[in-house]
Amino acid sequence: MNKAARLASAWCLAGLLCPVFALASPPANPSWDQLDTQQQQVLAPLAGEWNRYSPDKKQSLLAIVPGFANLAPQQQQRAQRKLKAWSELTPQQRHEIRANWKKLQQLPPEKREQVMQRLRQQRAQPDASISQ
């Protein structure tokens, strides 16, 4: 085989393999329609705003999908409730939550644990204003 024929064969082979490589690596910024069924099921609470997320945010959310199937059904429901609650927050509320989280992470471990314990107690108590 001469040099031109080998070069042509190599290009044809490369052309055949390119779609395989494209399928092997998922898009960095997938739209909702590009997600597979499992990804859409896990991330369903975020469907309405998925396409507005940054590529980094999408990738961090997609990272939870593989481990989701290993969670107990109660944990799966809890995770999806939390995703839904987060998706319903305003951008300002999200900003405040992120800022509070950063502050919490900067506290010394013993102080952080005290704050977390207080938050757990508040969550466990029924809201008195609702019953009145």
Side-chain angles (χ1 to χ4, degrees):
M1 187 182 306
N2 67 24
K3 187 176 180 180
R6 283 194 305 259
L7 187 57
S9 294
W11 278 108
C12 288
L13 181 59
L16 291 172
L17 293 177
C18 283
V20 172
F21 293 131
L23 290 175
S25 61
N29 187 19
S31 68
W32 182 257
D33 295 334
Q34 290 175 303
L35 301 181
D36 65 35
T37 305
Q38 181 188 21
Q39 291 168 328
Q40 287 184 350
Q41 287 174 344
V42 172
L43 302 171
L46 307 174
E49 56 182 87
W50 178 264
N51 291 332
R52 291 181 287 192
Y53 288 150
S54 71
D56 289 341
K57 180 69 175 172
K58 288 178 181 179
Q59 292 305 313
S60 68
L61 289 166
L62 286 169
I64 69 170
V65 173
F68 190 82
N70 297 330
L71 297 176
Q74 276 185 317
Q75 291 173 314
Q76 289 179 354
Q77 291 170 355
R78 181 174 182 259
Q80 287 193 313
R81 279 194 310 269
K82 287 185 172 280
L83 286 172
K84 181 162 181 48
W86 182 259
S87 74
E88 293 171 349
L89 295 174
T90 66
Q92 179 61 32
Q93 289 170 318
R94 292 178 192 182
H95 176 75
E96 290 172 12
I97 290 170
R98 286 184 185 112
N100 288 339
W101 181 255
K102 283 182 183 177
K103 287 179 192 173
L104 181 67
Q105 295 305 307
Q106 293 171 352
L107 292 175
E110 59 280 352
K111 181 71 172 168
R112 185 179 332 140
E113 184 54 39
Q114 290 173 355
V115 172
M116 293 300 293
Q117 186 62 34
R118 206 173 37 215
L119 289 171
R120 284 186 210 105
Q121 289 171 348
Q122 288 174 353
R123 228 181 314 156
Q125 295 173 353
D127 190 355
S129 63
I130 294 174
S131 61
Q132 294 177 354

